[in-house]
Amino acid sequence: MMRERDPAERVVVTGLGAISPIGNDVETFWRNALSGKNGIGKITFFDASRFACKIAGEVKDFDPSVFLDAKEARRLTRFIQFAVAASDMAIRNACLDLESEDRNRIGVLIGSGIGGLDILTENLRRLFSDGPDKVSPFLVPYMIPDMASGYVSIRYNLKGPNSCVVTACSTGANAIGDAAAIIKRGEADVMIAGGVEAPIVEISLGGFSAARALSTRNDDPEHASRPFDAKRDGFVMSEGAGILVLESLSHARERNAKIFAEVVGYAQTADAFHITQPEPSADGAARSMALAMKYASLNPEDITYINAHGTSTPYNDRLETLAIKKVFGEHAYKVPISSTKSMIGHSLGAAGALESIVCIKALQENWIPPTINYEFPDPECDLDYVPNKARQTEMRFAMKNSFGFGGHNATLIFAKAGLLDGTND
């Protein structure tokens, strides 16, 4: 049920949860990101010797039984396991007492770019080797990308808006932005929002390899993901989940919640150009950033950090740099920019959400994580990418860019908690 909402209602972040190649909780993920820890290695999930790319950012030591009962842990696909685990962390982190809340006013919006590729791969094998009678009845419900969101809503009996974003590598950022818009429209007081992906299976490795999108620096996986570096040769696929608890400022204040950051800007645009390549003038990416700042009533000089999409592909890094120059002008050379993918690889639909968590932690602690593996400057990538070492600086507003196949562009802007009302609580 929609409530009449003050159009100036603000949306804040009160809970965080993360599963990543460099840590299976937010603090471990953040501390390792600050220290520039590498999460890329040889693929161990299957024999990758036949593939051009043999490396990935695998999540290590993840135990689903910590979050799920034995039957669920055994049956659920990996991307749903990640979504449940990160959501559980975020709800607990927000100190959200669901027993005392109106669950009709709490929604879930968790996106996934691909969904349950592991169960699809397993059942394709069964189909072709043993016949259709061996296909699992759980194939469809555990494969479809919206089931991460659906399963979390069922688990916590959350009956507000429930949806899923599928916009390739923009998914996580779109999910957070769309969830914030739901709160601003008055359709929910609280949204569990973010992105999840578990794509490290043979079929996706084969697909991205065939598209020549992946790094083949197989003998040196620790240095394979190198955004903005002149010797970058493609992205490294990875997995993980990032979940945020978003809520209206008034609801957060009513329950005396700790506020981590505020969502002040969100925009999305299309390249309308090509299925995989970004538009050569970078107009779509530039308009996404410019519109997000316009909606937030900010100028380029207000942005104190950009967490780049920064994939480590020749196209993306050059054109994201061009887009930032178009929007920021001379300030482009002054604003610190870094790519979390240099450490964790590219977690596709989870990337925008995990990297939003980096923005929020950066705002909280006034530290910017580095872009690691930056060794050889590219004349076409000539901005301040915070190379190889974290940097301490006074933070105000952090921008998160996400761009996806199909020409999807999404930009989020987060403000330091309390900045807009002078409380900085």
Side-chain angles (χ1 to χ4, degrees), residues 302-323:
D302 295 318
I303 304 297
T304 44
Y305 169 54
I306 299 174
N307 187 289
H309 188 56
T311 59
S312 183
T313 62
Y315 274 124
N316 174 87
D317 297 354
R318 176 170 59 82
L319 292 174
E320 184 171 13
T321 298
L322 176 60

Side-chain angles (χ1 to χ4, degrees), residues 206-216 233-235 313-314:
F208 282 119
S209 291
R212 298 184 179 180
L214 301 178
S215 170
T216 55
D233 70 334
F235 75 81
T313 62

Side-chain angles (χ1 to χ4, degrees), residues 17-33 35 37-40 57-63 67 82 85-86 89 239-242 340 343-344 354 357:
I19 301 288
S20 83
I22 56 171
N24 295 337
D25 61 79
V26 169
E27 283 308 306
T28 304
F29 167 54
W30 168 244
R31 296 296 162 205
N32 283 333
S35 68
K37 183 179 176 65
N38 167 69
I40 309 301
E58 297 176 347
V59 167
K60 295 93 175 170
D61 304 319
F62 174 68
D63 181 1
F67 304 95
F82 285 171
M89 289 182 217
E239 58 178 355
T340 307
M343 294 169 278
I344 67 172
L354 279 168
I357 291 172

Side-chain angles (χ1 to χ4, degrees), residues 48-370:
S49 59
R50 295 178 299 158
F51 296 83
C53 174
K54 304 171 178 41
I55 56 178
E58 297 176 347
V59 167
K60 295 93 175 170
D61 304 319
F62 174 68
D63 181 1
S65 68
V66 172
F67 304 95
L68 298 157
D69 66 35
K71 186 176 180 181
E72 288 177 304
R74 185 176 64 254
R75 183 177 285 174
L76 287 177
T77 43
R78 189 168 172 88
F79 90 105
I80 302 176
Q81 293 175 349
F82 285 171
V84 170
S87 297
D88 190 78
M89 289 182 217
I91 291 169
R92 284 189 284 111
N93 186 228
C95 299
L96 191 60
D97 180 8
L98 296 176
E99 295 302 320
S100 64
E101 296 286 340
D102 178 358
R103 297 183 195 228
N104 293 332
R105 300 283 305 164
I106 302 177
V108 186
L109 207 170
I110 300 173
S112 178
I114 301 177
L117 276 181
D118 48 357
I119 195 170
L120 176 63
T121 300
E122 177 188 339
N123 280 273
L124 282 171
R125 288 197 190 101
R126 292 184 190 179
L127 173 66
F128 293 126
S129 64
D130 302 319
D133 291 344
K134 297 299 181 184
V135 173
S136 168
F138 296 105
L139 167 62
V140 173
Y142 289 169
M143 177 187 72
I144 50 181
D146 69 305
M147 195 50 66
S149 204
Y151 204 90
V152 169
S153 75
I154 294 166
R155 179 179 178 82
Y156 296 103
N157 193 29
L158 304 178
K159 298 182 176 179
N162 187 268
S163 189
C164 170
V165 173
V166 181
T167 49
C169 305
S170 298
T171 293
N174 279 128
I176 293 167
D178 290 355
I182 287 172
I183 293 172
K184 288 185 80 69
R185 290 199 301 268
E187 297 176 47
D189 296 322
V190 180
M191 291 293 294
I192 313 301
V196 61
E197 208 78 83
I200 305 174
V201 295
E202 293 95 323
I203 189 64
S204 56
L205 188 68
F208 282 119
S209 291
R212 298 184 179 180
L214 301 178
S215 170
T216 55
R217 194 184 283 255
N218 298 309
D219 295 332
D220 187 18
E222 291 192 354
H223 299 96
S225 185
R226 43 195 315 115
F228 305 107
D229 184 273
K231 295 191 176 182
R232 65 193 184 275
D233 70 334
F235 75 81
V236 179
M237 188 166 56
S238 68
E239 58 178 355
I243 300 294
L244 280 59
V245 173
L246 304 179
E247 59 186 301
S248 67
L249 178 61
S250 57
H251 186 272
R253 284 178 169 166
E254 282 172 13
R255 69 181 189 90
N256 200 28
K258 179 176 175 57
I259 295 170
F260 298 159
E262 179 171 350
V263 184
V264 294
Y266 168 54
Q268 51 182 328
T269 65
D271 281 354
F273 173 69
H274 191 270
I275 56 171
T276 58
Q277 294 178 15
E279 198 273 325
S281 75
D283 173 70
R287 284 187 297 113
S288 182
M289 286 184 262
L291 286 171
M293 286 195 290
K294 177 182 177 182
Y295 299 151
S297 299
L298 296 176
N299 297 311
E301 293 75 17
D302 295 318
I303 304 297
T304 44
Y305 169 54
I306 299 174
N307 187 289
H309 188 56
T311 59
S312 183
T313 62
Y315 274 124
N316 174 87
D317 297 354
R318 176 170 59 82
L319 292 174
E320 184 171 13
T321 298
L322 176 60
I324 292 169
K325 289 179 182 177
K326 281 188 167 187
V327 175
F328 285 76
E330 283 302 310
H331 188 63
Y333 294 91
K334 299 176 182 175
V335 62
I337 302 162
S338 69
S339 171
T340 307
K341 294 182 182 73
S342 64
M343 294 169 278
I344 67 172
H346 192 349
S347 54
L348 311 179
L354 279 168
E355 292 157 7
S356 290
I357 291 172
V358 169
C359 288
I360 293 160
K361 294 298 294 183
L363 288 165
Q364 284 184 306
E365 299 195 6
N366 295 312
W367 275 95
I368 297 173

